[in-house]
């Protein structure tokens, strides 16, 4: 019995999907751009929590899956990301899908955020947010400069015992990012704040908008921040970044290792290059053409590039 025309059409539309990156093998596989060694091995000073809006899971043009591929070499579920670590607080990155922290967060994450000894940084614009460099300097001073004993007494690192100094050197900064459209990201931040879930010791930081004074900023080369490289999804203004760019830049800054930024950007740039190949020259948004008018919940740094300070010797 010969297949009907309808069956033949269905067979033609079916595409082989790459087992690793989960993109169509023939035209959209990005495995060749992935790092030889997963970048998660480079995370020694920070861990990442991403609060992702449920609607993001339905989008085909989101940037977070590219970060997961660069960090782990494959797509991992939230459970798999946490199971890859030795303990509840030793993960590299975990993604929480929900409209606020605490809605669907597991006990380990909530315990981490409520611990007054943990240094937690939220990267999101807010009236009380500090400039990125000032905020990270404060966070690093909290890690290196003071510790707190079980009775709540604060003591300086100079008076700490050798055991305390070891704990301080092993202490990690927790970075929180919101992965959503700009409208949803603001709602998620507000809901979490109203629910009283953000820790009292939370450090809010934001990237400097492009309108800030950067006329004296010198141009740098390969290991420098470059604005708006994820052009698949157009942000609502020049002062916004995709989650991938924001996370890559700040994690590189905290770790003092530009390989993190460049490794994630290589994957992102390759995807953008593929997308441009599918885009229609007339700007039509159908079938992959044009840009998508949406953006992730992070602000762009500047129109100039900024060099990542390396801790490598």
């Amino acid at each position: 019995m010969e297949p009907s025309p309808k069956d033949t059409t269905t067979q033609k539309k079916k595409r082989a999907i790459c087992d690793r990156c989960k993109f169509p093998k023939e035209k959209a596989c990005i495995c060749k751009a992935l790092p030889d060694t997963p970048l998660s091995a480079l995370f020694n000073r920070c861990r990442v929590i991403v609060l992702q809006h449920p609607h993001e899971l339905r989008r085909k043009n989101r940037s977070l899956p590219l970060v997961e591929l660069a960090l782990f070499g494959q797509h991992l579920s939230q459970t798999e990301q946490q199971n890859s670590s030795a303990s509840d607080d030793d993960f590299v990155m975990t993604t929480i899908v929900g409209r606020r922290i605490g809605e669907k967060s597991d006990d380990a994450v909530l315990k981490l955020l409520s611990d007054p000894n943990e240094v937690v940084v939220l990267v999101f614009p807010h009236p009380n947010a500090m400039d990125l460099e000032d905020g990270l300097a404060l966070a690093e001073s909290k890690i290196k400069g003071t510790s707190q004993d079980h009775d709540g007494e604060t003591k300086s690192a100079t008076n700490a015992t050798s055991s305390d100094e070891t704990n301080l050197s092993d202490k990690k900064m927790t970075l929180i990012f919101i992965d959503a459209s700009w409208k949803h990201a603001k709602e998620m931040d507000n809901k979490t704040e109203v629910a009283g879930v953000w820790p009292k010791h939370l450090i809010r930081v934001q990237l400097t908008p492009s309108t800030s004074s950067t006329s004296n900023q010198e141009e740098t080369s390969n290991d420098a921040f470059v604005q708006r490289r994820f052009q698949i999804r157009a942000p609502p203004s020049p002062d916004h970044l995709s989650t991938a760019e924001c996370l890559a830049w700040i994690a590189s800054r905290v770790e003092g290792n530009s390989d993190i930024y460049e490794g994630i950007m290589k994957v992102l740039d390759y995807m953008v290059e593929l997308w441009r190949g599918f885009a229609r020259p007339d700007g039509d948004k159908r079938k992959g053409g044009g840009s998508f008018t949406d953006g992730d919940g992070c602000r762009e740094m500047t129109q100039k590039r900024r060099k990542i300070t390396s801790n490598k010797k």
Side-chain angles (χ1 to χ4, degrees):
M1 179 177 178
E2 295 184 0
S4 65
K6 183 177 180 180
D7 293 336
T8 304
T9 302
T10 302
Q11 291 175 4
K12 288 182 179 179
K13 288 185 177 180
K14 189 174 182 180
R15 297 178 295 178
I17 302 299
C18 175
D19 293 333
R20 186 182 183 191
C21 70
K22 305 303 181 184
F23 290 109
K25 272 186 178 181
E26 184 178 353
K27 295 183 177 181
C29 177
I30 62 171
C31 289
K32 64 170 63 177
L34 297 181
D36 295 333
T37 302
L39 298 177
S40 58
L42 302 180
F43 281 66
N44 301 303
R45 303 179 61 198
C46 69
R47 64 176 74 88
V48 174
I49 296 175
V50 179
L51 175 59
Q52 184 179 69
H53 194 280
H55 289 181
E56 287 298 303
L57 295 176
R58 300 198 295 264
R59 298 185 186 275
K60 302 298 183 182
N61 59 338
R62 54 199 178 105
S63 64
L64 191 61
L66 304 180
V67 177
E68 295 170 351
L69 287 169
L71 294 189
F72 305 110
Q74 59 182 321
H75 287 294
L76 296 180
S77 66
Q78 178 183 351
T79 302
E80 289 172 328
Q81 290 174 14
Q82 292 179 330
N83 288 344
S84 65
S85 62
S87 61
D88 290 340
D89 61 354
D90 193 34
F91 58 85
V92 171
M93 184 179 82
T94 186
T95 303
I96 299 170
V97 179
R99 288 175 170 78
R100 68 172 177 84
I101 291 283
E103 182 182 47
K104 296 181 180 179
S105 306
D106 60 27
D107 293 339
V109 170
L110 292 176
K111 181 180 178 182
L112 176 69
L113 296 181
S114 62
D115 187 343
N117 292 318
E118 293 294 337
V119 178
V120 183
V121 177
L122 171 63
V123 184
F124 192 75
H126 189 274
N128 297 329
M130 305 174 68
D131 177 76
L132 175 66
E133 294 303 318
D134 293 337
L136 292 184
L138 174 61
E140 289 168 355
S141 70
K142 284 180 174 290
I143 291 176
K144 298 176 182 178
T146 62
S147 64
Q148 194 174 62
D149 60 24
H150 295 293
D151 296 326
E153 181 182 351
T154 301
K155 51 188 177 182
S156 66
T158 55
N159 298 326
T161 65
S162 58
S163 176
D164 291 328
E165 291 173 352
T166 300
N167 292 335
L168 284 171
S169 64
D170 293 339
K171 198 171 187 63
K172 290 186 177 183
M173 186 186 306
T174 300
L175 302 174
I176 303 179
F177 299 88
I178 300 178
D179 184 45
S181 67
W182 180 240
K183 176 184 176 181
H184 286 150
K186 289 191 291 185
E187 292 174 353
M188 292 158 73
D189 178 33
N190 291 336
K191 286 182 178 180
T192 305
E193 188 169 20
V194 170
V197 179
W198 288 136
K200 295 179 179 179
H201 55 286
L202 179 72
I203 299 174
R204 286 180 174 270
V205 302
Q206 61 187 10
L207 302 182
T208 305
S210 58
T211 53
S212 64
S213 177
T214 57
S215 58
N216 295 327
Q217 194 72 253
E218 293 184 358
E219 296 285 337
T220 55
S221 56
N222 296 330
D223 59 352
F225 171 87
V226 182
Q227 62 164 354
R228 286 178 58 180
R229 289 165 72 166
F230 192 61
Q231 298 176 7
I232 294 177
R233 209 168 154 178
S237 81
D239 289 333
H240 294 76
L241 279 178
S242 69
T243 300
E245 293 167 285
C246 186
L247 191 157
W249 170 257
I250 296 179
S252 294
R253 163 65 180 80
V254 174
E255 295 290 346
N257 191 336
S258 60
D259 290 344
I260 295 173
Y261 179 74
E262 292 302 323
I264 294 176
M265 289 301 100
K266 181 179 179 181
V267 180
L268 185 145
D269 289 344
Y270 188 73
M271 174 56 75
V272 171
E273 182 181 350
L274 290 176
W275 170 80
R276 284 176 174 168
F278 291 116
R280 295 166 61 95
D282 58 3
D284 194 330
K285 295 181 183 180
R286 293 174 297 174
K287 298 183 180 180
S291 62
F292 298 85
T293 55
D294 209 350
D296 296 339
C298 286
R299 283 202 175 187
E300 188 172 30
M301 286 194 67
T302 62
Q303 296 288 350
K304 298 287 184 177
R305 301 176 179 180
R306 290 188 176 182
K307 189 177 180 65
I308 296 172
T309 304
S310 177
N311 288 335
K312 296 184 291 184
K313 296 180 179 180

